[in-house]
Every structure is written in C-alpha cells, then in structure tokens.
Amino acid sequence: MLAPWLSPAPGHAQEGLQSASSALRDAALAALAESAPDEGPTAVVVRPELPEGAPDASGLAAALAAPLLEALAADPRRAPARLAALEVREGETLAAVARGLGDATLVTVTARVRGADLLVEGAVVRTRDEVRAPIAAARVPLDASLRAFVGYPPRLTDETVSARSLALPGRGYVALAIGDLDGDGRAELVAARTDEVHVLRVRGRRLELVGRVAVPASVPRAPTVSRRPMGSAIVRGERAAVRTSEHAVGLAVRLASGRPVIELAEGPCPADRYPMLGGCARAVTGRDFFDPELDPRESPAPAAPAHFYAYAFASYAAPDGTRTSYEVIVMPSGRVSLRVLVPRERPRGPSFDERAAAASGYGTALAMGDLDLDGAAEILVSQAALAGQGDQLTLLRALPRGALRTMWRSPPLAGSVWTAAAGDADGDGLPELAAIEEPTDPAGRATLWLVR
C-alpha cells in the first residue's frame, strides 16, 4: 500500500507566539461554549512554568492571554468586570482564586517548556458547581518569538562541545534520521540497514530499541556492494523517508501503536532519488556519489553544485528574528563547500547576499543543525579515509559572514563513519548532531555518536 506523505513541517518559523496564543484562544472558546454557555463574569489565569532564569515569564502570560481576552471582551454574554489576565500570587492555589471570584467562570492555563516546544494547556472551571472542561493542549516549537520570553541556551564554544557514544543494536547502517514519529514531543532515531530498520530512543546513557521492522523482500537491493553504503533518511511530520540503495525504492517508516511500520512511500522525492535535508538526489550509476542535479531543491537561490557525497540545506533564525540559509555539500574530492544566503530587500522584491567558504579533507557523512539556537549552523563531518582505515569526526561552525571554523575534533576512531543526522535525540530541547561509526570487528556492533 502507498503511504500518504505529510507535508514538510516549517523549520523555526517566527510565528510561534502567534500560533500558541491563537490555539489557546480557539481551544478555550470551544471549551467555554461547551461547559459555560451562560452569562456571567469570566476570568483568565495564565501561569507560566518556565526554566529558572527565563527573562519574561509575566510578559509571556500577558501575550498568550491577549487574543482570548479580546475575544471574550467582544462577547456580550461575558460580564466585563472579570476580563483580566489575573496574576496568581506565589503559593496561592487556583481553588483560592476561584473562591475569590464567587459565581464566575475561571479559565486556567499553564504554559510549560517541554523539550524544544512550549506546551499550553488548561481547563474551564465553573465556580458555582465545580464543573470542569479541559482546554485542548497546544504544542508549539520554541522559535525566536517565544524564546524572547523563555530564554536561549548558552552559546556553544570550543570548550563546551561534548560528545558521547552509545552502542547500537546492530551494524551495517546506511542511513540515519532523527524526528518525532508519534507526536509525543520526544524524538526517535531511525537507523536503516538494507535488510531492516531499527527505531530507537535515547534513554539516559543507553539506547532503547523501540522496535525493528524488516525491509519487504519485494524491495530491490543493489546486486553488488558499492565502494561505500549509499542510503539516506529524513523525517517529515511523523514519518521517516528512507532509501537504502541505488536499486531500492523509497520507504516510509512510522509508529503505529508504539511499534514501527514500514510501507512504500509516496514522496517526498521522485522514485529514483534519495531524500536529503533540502532536496532529492540521484546517484551516479556505478559510482558512490550523487549527480549535481537535485529535484526538487528547497534552496531559494539554487546554484548547480558539483558531484557530491552529501548535501544539506536549512534556514535558522537568530535571536533578533533574522533568518540565514546555509547550503553545504561534501564532494568526492573531500572538499566541503559552504554557501550562506542572507536575505536582503530590494526595490523589485527580496533577494540574497551570497557568501562562500570551503575546506578540505572530509568524508561522506554530513549533518547540520543550529546547536545553540543563535542562527549560525554547526556542521558535523567525517574524515576523508578509506573503509577500514579509521575515521574522525569534526565539528565546524558556519558563520553568517561566510566562513568555516573548526570547533572540535574527536579522537581517531577505529571504525568508519558513513552516515550522520541532526535532531533533538535526547529530548532536552536542543538539537544534537549524530553519526554512526561502523565497527572493524566482524562481530562488533556499531556506535552512535552524539555531539553538542
């Protein structure tokens, strides 16, 4: 059966505050209509439960409540005397607030940080008969508009970069992706081999195997082993798009009742292309690299790259809300090429200032993310080494002015690194860059490296 493909989710859009406050308004009005349709005073209480040091918790409460208060003020059934975002004094319970209101309707809302999201939820309480109706929860990514209230993590420095390793349940992985496959706000890791796909979660210092699912026997596989394993995977919505060889077809991996399911995928790439961060690539027949043509390609200012091992494109928002796009490719020569696209308004419409940088000595694995949410990309790459000759991971920072700077190098690795990915693997609200080291021991297991 063909699995419908979910549209790509927006990256870090700047409408987070608007989305959260609008979702709260709509859900609260729906709960009010169901549980308290009669006339009477209505009060709104928004209580932020934010990390210590959040710069403006009260401002977030007021901003979240504003659309709801405006809608309530326009409703003639609601007495205006109690239309306010009430502040709850420290130690004061909602029950005490409700008693102080007398015969009224109380809208209680809590805003919490959950990983990389803001979770807004609550209830409608009629004080006279203690009837409660839940307000549907809204989970919104923490973009710059919300981070202004919640706060940003410390900026990543050379001294604070850290790496840890976790044992994978197998070996021979050709693709890796990180994303939330079940909508619970915590990411899964999708590690694909040519014969099966493993779905895992990071649990402290170990990996938990959610499940493994065999690649259908009907899916073609490469008749011969190439110079390196060629696969790719990305997560869009609650599905992972996976391709495991040049002769394979696109697969969709999802979770159903907590267990992984694999299906033939309809999109996001044409049947003969590999899904990547920012485009769909076609392998050069008989070689271990990709054709310069990407179709489709998400870059707003496409430029034909050379043949490449790996490709990534993404846009990231700085704390001031400005966005910068980064496009990175690794060529078979071992050269990493960076393009930085900075938007600029012109009389005839928006355009981009383009800046470039390059470095040499790198291999086939590439992952890109904004690890400290400052608007600058961090890039994890492997070393230009032949299979069986060891490897090394390098973390580069791509600067908006168009430069690559080395931040960290791992110790020499005994195994080979072919694939990498970016995402919040451990659920702490910040992305990591991940890579898989394949063992040299034929009986050994692969190692997952998490770098931030």
mmCIF file of all heavy atoms in Angstrom, residues 214-243:
data_model
loop_
_atom_site.group_PDB
_atom_site.id
_atom_site.type_symbol
_atom_site.label_atom_id
_atom_site.label_comp_id
_atom_site.label_asym_id
_atom_site.label_seq_id
_atom_site.Cartn_x
_atom_site.Cartn_y
_atom_site.Cartn_z
ATOM 1 N N ALA A 214 11.446 -5.418 9.243
ATOM 2 C CA ALA A 214 12.188 -5.884 8.078
ATOM 3 C C ALA A 214 11.789 -5.097 6.837
ATOM 4 O O ALA A 214 10.618 -4.752 6.644
ATOM 5 C CB ALA A 214 11.930 -7.376 7.853
ATOM 6 N N VAL A 215 12.785 -4.803 6.016
ATOM 7 C CA VAL A 215 12.500 -4.231 4.699
ATOM 8 C C VAL A 215 11.822 -5.322 3.872
ATOM 9 O O VAL A 215 12.313 -6.456 3.818
ATOM 10 C CB VAL A 215 13.792 -3.755 4.016
ATOM 11 C CG1 VAL A 215 13.520 -3.297 2.589
ATOM 12 C CG2 VAL A 215 14.434 -2.631 4.826
ATOM 13 N N PRO A 216 10.672 -5.025 3.255
ATOM 14 C CA PRO A 216 9.971 -6.070 2.492
ATOM 15 C C PRO A 216 10.868 -6.750 1.472
ATOM 16 O O PRO A 216 11.711 -6.113 0.829
ATOM 17 C CB PRO A 216 8.837 -5.298 1.813
ATOM 18 C CG PRO A 216 8.606 -4.111 2.685
ATOM 19 C CD PRO A 216 9.954 -3.745 3.231
ATOM 20 N N ALA A 217 10.702 -8.057 1.353
ATOM 21 C CA ALA A 217 11.533 -8.826 0.420
ATOM 22 C C ALA A 217 11.352 -8.356 -1.017
ATOM 23 O O ALA A 217 12.232 -8.556 -1.860
ATOM 24 C CB ALA A 217 11.197 -10.312 0.533
ATOM 25 N N SER A 218 10.228 -7.721 -1.319
ATOM 26 C CA SER A 218 9.964 -7.259 -2.675
ATOM 27 C C SER A 218 10.751 -6.003 -3.045
ATOM 28 O O SER A 218 10.819 -5.629 -4.210
ATOM 29 C CB SER A 218 8.470 -6.963 -2.846
ATOM 30 O OG SER A 218 8.038 -5.982 -1.901
ATOM 31 N N VAL A 219 11.341 -5.326 -2.034
ATOM 32 C CA VAL A 219 12.113 -4.115 -2.310
ATOM 33 C C VAL A 219 13.458 -4.509 -2.908
ATOM 34 O O VAL A 219 14.213 -5.280 -2.299
ATOM 35 C CB VAL A 219 12.324 -3.298 -1.027
ATOM 36 C CG1 VAL A 219 13.280 -2.142 -1.275
ATOM 37 C CG2 VAL A 219 10.988 -2.791 -0.510
ATOM 38 N N PRO A 220 13.791 -4.018 -4.107
ATOM 39 C CA PRO A 220 15.065 -4.402 -4.736
ATOM 40 C C PRO A 220 16.259 -3.936 -3.914
ATOM 41 O O PRO A 220 16.185 -2.947 -3.183
ATOM 42 C CB PRO A 220 15.017 -3.682 -6.095
ATOM 43 C CG PRO A 220 13.586 -3.326 -6.309
ATOM 44 C CD PRO A 220 12.998 -3.126 -4.956
ATOM 45 N N ARG A 221 17.347 -4.660 -4.045
ATOM 46 C CA ARG A 221 18.595 -4.284 -3.390
ATOM 47 C C ARG A 221 19.712 -4.283 -4.419
ATOM 48 O O ARG A 221 19.613 -4.932 -5.462
ATOM 49 C CB ARG A 221 18.922 -5.250 -2.245
ATOM 50 C CG ARG A 221 17.839 -5.290 -1.171
ATOM 51 C CD ARG A 221 18.159 -6.292 -0.077
ATOM 52 N NE ARG A 221 17.014 -6.471 0.805
ATOM 53 C CZ ARG A 221 16.970 -7.334 1.798
ATOM 54 N NH1 ARG A 221 18.013 -8.119 2.040
ATOM 55 N NH2 ARG A 221 15.888 -7.435 2.556
ATOM 56 N N ALA A 222 20.771 -3.569 -4.080
ATOM 57 C CA ALA A 222 21.892 -3.495 -5.015
ATOM 58 C C ALA A 222 22.485 -4.885 -5.231
ATOM 59 O O ALA A 222 22.744 -5.610 -4.268
ATOM 60 C CB ALA A 222 22.953 -2.554 -4.469
ATOM 61 N N PRO A 223 22.734 -5.288 -6.496
ATOM 62 C CA PRO A 223 23.256 -6.629 -6.755
ATOM 63 C C PRO A 223 24.699 -6.802 -6.310
ATOM 64 O O PRO A 223 25.132 -7.911 -6.041
ATOM 65 C CB PRO A 223 23.124 -6.769 -8.274
ATOM 66 C CG PRO A 223 23.149 -5.360 -8.791
ATOM 67 C CD PRO A 223 22.481 -4.529 -7.730
ATOM 68 N N THR A 224 25.429 -5.700 -6.222
ATOM 69 C CA THR A 224 26.822 -5.780 -5.775
ATOM 70 C C THR A 224 27.050 -4.717 -4.712
ATOM 71 O O THR A 224 26.328 -3.736 -4.619
ATOM 72 C CB THR A 224 27.799 -5.536 -6.946
ATOM 73 O OG1 THR A 224 27.529 -4.240 -7.514
ATOM 74 C CG2 THR A 224 27.638 -6.596 -8.023
ATOM 75 N N VAL A 225 28.071 -4.928 -3.906
ATOM 76 C CA VAL A 225 28.406 -3.977 -2.866
ATOM 77 C C VAL A 225 29.181 -2.819 -3.475
ATOM 78 O O VAL A 225 30.171 -3.027 -4.180
ATOM 79 C CB VAL A 225 29.236 -4.649 -1.761
ATOM 80 C CG1 VAL A 225 29.616 -3.634 -0.693
ATOM 81 C CG2 VAL A 225 28.469 -5.816 -1.154
ATOM 82 N N SER A 226 28.720 -1.585 -3.243
ATOM 83 C CA SER A 226 29.410 -0.423 -3.785
ATOM 84 C C SER A 226 30.621 -0.088 -2.919
ATOM 85 O O SER A 226 30.852 -0.699 -1.873
ATOM 86 C CB SER A 226 28.455 0.777 -3.833
ATOM 87 O OG SER A 226 28.010 1.088 -2.528
ATOM 88 N N ARG A 227 31.379 0.908 -3.355
ATOM 89 C CA ARG A 227 32.568 1.303 -2.612
ATOM 90 C C ARG A 227 32.215 1.759 -1.198
ATOM 91 O O ARG A 227 33.003 1.662 -0.283
ATOM 92 C CB ARG A 227 33.283 2.426 -3.352
ATOM 93 C CG ARG A 227 33.891 1.987 -4.684
ATOM 94 C CD ARG A 227 34.375 3.191 -5.479
ATOM 95 N NE ARG A 227 35.349 3.968 -4.728
ATOM 96 C CZ ARG A 227 35.731 5.194 -5.083
ATOM 97 N NH1 ARG A 227 35.188 5.770 -6.143
ATOM 98 N NH2 ARG A 227 36.617 5.841 -4.373
ATOM 99 N N ARG A 228 31.038 2.259 -1.025
ATOM 100 C CA ARG A 228 30.548 2.635 0.299
ATOM 101 C C ARG A 228 29.042 2.430 0.320
ATOM 102 O O ARG A 228 28.387 2.456 -0.722
ATOM 103 C CB ARG A 228 30.885 4.094 0.611
ATOM 104 C CG ARG A 228 30.044 5.092 -0.196
ATOM 105 C CD ARG A 228 30.319 6.522 0.250
ATOM 106 N NE ARG A 228 29.552 7.480 -0.514
ATOM 107 C CZ ARG A 228 28.408 8.041 -0.109
ATOM 108 N NH1 ARG A 228 27.890 7.686 1.051
ATOM 109 N NH2 ARG A 228 27.779 8.926 -0.853
ATOM 110 N N PRO A 229 28.452 2.212 1.472
ATOM 111 C CA PRO A 229 26.989 2.068 1.528
ATOM 112 C C PRO A 229 26.327 3.397 1.222
ATOM 113 O O PRO A 229 26.684 4.434 1.785
ATOM 114 C CB PRO A 229 26.735 1.635 2.980
ATOM 115 C CG PRO A 229 27.929 2.115 3.747
ATOM 116 C CD PRO A 229 29.078 2.043 2.795
ATOM 117 N N MET A 230 25.346 3.386 0.316
ATOM 118 C CA MET A 230 24.660 4.607 -0.075
ATOM 119 C C MET A 230 23.202 4.519 0.358
ATOM 120 O O MET A 230 22.435 3.724 -0.178
ATOM 121 C CB MET A 230 24.754 4.837 -1.584
ATOM 122 C CG MET A 230 26.171 5.152 -2.056
ATOM 123 S SD MET A 230 26.243 5.588 -3.787
ATOM 124 C CE MET A 230 25.352 7.146 -3.794
ATOM 125 N N GLY A 231 22.854 5.302 1.347
ATOM 126 C CA GLY A 231 21.480 5.391 1.812
ATOM 127 C C GLY A 231 21.233 6.779 2.342
ATOM 128 O O GLY A 231 22.160 7.562 2.544
ATOM 129 N N SER A 232 19.969 7.113 2.570
ATOM 130 C CA SER A 232 19.643 8.404 3.169
ATOM 131 C C SER A 232 18.291 8.307 3.852
ATOM 132 O O SER A 232 17.480 7.425 3.544
ATOM 133 C CB SER A 232 19.630 9.530 2.121
ATOM 134 O OG SER A 232 18.535 9.380 1.240
ATOM 135 N N ALA A 233 18.050 9.228 4.786
ATOM 136 C CA ALA A 233 16.781 9.243 5.516
ATOM 137 C C ALA A 233 16.552 10.644 6.056
ATOM 138 O O ALA A 233 17.498 11.324 6.467
ATOM 139 C CB ALA A 233 16.790 8.225 6.655
ATOM 140 N N ILE A 234 15.298 11.092 6.044
ATOM 141 C CA ILE A 234 14.896 12.337 6.684
ATOM 142 C C ILE A 234 13.540 12.104 7.344
ATOM 143 O O ILE A 234 12.806 11.194 6.958
ATOM 144 C CB ILE A 234 14.804 13.517 5.701
ATOM 145 C CG1 ILE A 234 13.798 13.216 4.574
ATOM 146 C CG2 ILE A 234 16.164 13.877 5.135
ATOM 147 C CD1 ILE A 234 13.510 14.404 3.684
ATOM 148 N N VAL A 235 13.207 12.916 8.329
ATOM 149 C CA VAL A 235 11.894 12.854 8.974
ATOM 150 C C VAL A 235 11.108 14.084 8.588
ATOM 151 O O VAL A 235 11.609 15.216 8.686
ATOM 152 C CB VAL A 235 12.015 12.757 10.508
ATOM 153 C CG1 VAL A 235 10.645 12.861 11.158
ATOM 154 C CG2 VAL A 235 12.687 11.454 10.903
ATOM 155 N N ARG A 236 9.871 13.859 8.122
ATOM 156 C CA ARG A 236 8.939 14.935 7.834
ATOM 157 C C ARG A 236 7.597 14.562 8.475
ATOM 158 O O ARG A 236 7.082 13.470 8.228
ATOM 159 C CB ARG A 236 8.759 15.149 6.333
ATOM 160 C CG ARG A 236 9.951 15.780 5.639
ATOM 161 C CD ARG A 236 10.105 17.236 6.094
ATOM 162 N NE ARG A 236 11.164 17.928 5.377
ATOM 163 C CZ ARG A 236 12.404 18.045 5.798
ATOM 164 N NH1 ARG A 236 12.741 17.462 6.946
ATOM 165 N NH2 ARG A 236 13.313 18.717 5.112
ATOM 166 N N GLY A 237 7.061 15.471 9.284
ATOM 167 C CA GLY A 237 5.854 15.124 10.013
ATOM 168 C C GLY A 237 6.150 13.976 10.961
ATOM 169 O O GLY A 237 7.126 14.001 11.709
ATOM 170 N N GLU A 238 5.341 12.955 10.924
ATOM 171 C CA GLU A 238 5.526 11.790 11.796
ATOM 172 C C GLU A 238 5.924 10.560 10.988
ATOM 173 O O GLU A 238 5.598 9.429 11.351
ATOM 174 C CB GLU A 238 4.251 11.533 12.605
ATOM 175 C CG GLU A 238 3.948 12.661 13.593
ATOM 176 C CD GLU A 238 2.720 12.414 14.432
ATOM 177 O OE1 GLU A 238 2.115 11.326 14.321
ATOM 178 O OE2 GLU A 238 2.349 13.312 15.207
ATOM 179 N N ARG A 239 6.649 10.781 9.908
ATOM 180 C CA ARG A 239 7.158 9.678 9.083
ATOM 181 C C ARG A 239 8.611 9.941 8.709
ATOM 182 O O ARG A 239 9.024 11.088 8.565
ATOM 183 C CB ARG A 239 6.333 9.514 7.803
ATOM 184 C CG ARG A 239 4.875 9.159 8.035
ATOM 185 C CD ARG A 239 4.107 9.133 6.717
ATOM 186 N NE ARG A 239 2.677 9.003 6.955
ATOM 187 C CZ ARG A 239 2.023 7.849 7.015
ATOM 188 N NH1 ARG A 239 2.683 6.721 6.840
ATOM 189 N NH2 ARG A 239 0.723 7.809 7.238
ATOM 190 N N ALA A 240 9.352 8.868 8.552
ATOM 191 C CA ALA A 240 10.719 8.956 8.050
ATOM 192 C C ALA A 240 10.743 8.426 6.626
ATOM 193 O O ALA A 240 10.205 7.352 6.346
ATOM 194 C CB ALA A 240 11.672 8.143 8.928
ATOM 195 N N ALA A 241 11.335 9.195 5.722
ATOM 196 C CA ALA A 241 11.556 8.735 4.352
ATOM 197 C C ALA A 241 12.935 8.108 4.287
ATOM 198 O O ALA A 241 13.923 8.722 4.695
ATOM 199 C CB ALA A 241 11.451 9.903 3.373
ATOM 200 N N VAL A 242 13.005 6.884 3.784
ATOM 201 C CA VAL A 242 14.252 6.106 3.812
ATOM 202 C C VAL A 242 14.502 5.509 2.444
ATOM 203 O O VAL A 242 13.577 5.005 1.790
ATOM 204 C CB VAL A 242 14.173 4.972 4.871
ATOM 205 C CG1 VAL A 242 15.441 4.147 4.866
ATOM 206 C CG2 VAL A 242 13.903 5.549 6.254
ATOM 207 N N ARG A 243 15.756 5.546 2.009
ATOM 208 C CA ARG A 243 16.179 4.782 0.826
ATOM 209 C C ARG A 243 17.496 4.116 1.168
ATOM 210 O O ARG A 243 18.410 4.758 1.698
ATOM 211 C CB ARG A 243 16.333 5.680 -0.390
ATOM 212 C CG ARG A 243 16.446 4.855 -1.671
ATOM 213 C CD ARG A 243 16.381 5.706 -2.895
ATOM 214 N NE ARG A 243 16.384 4.854 -4.091
ATOM 215 C CZ ARG A 243 16.665 5.287 -5.306
ATOM 216 N NH1 ARG A 243 16.952 6.556 -5.492
ATOM 217 N NH2 ARG A 243 16.649 4.468 -6.326
#
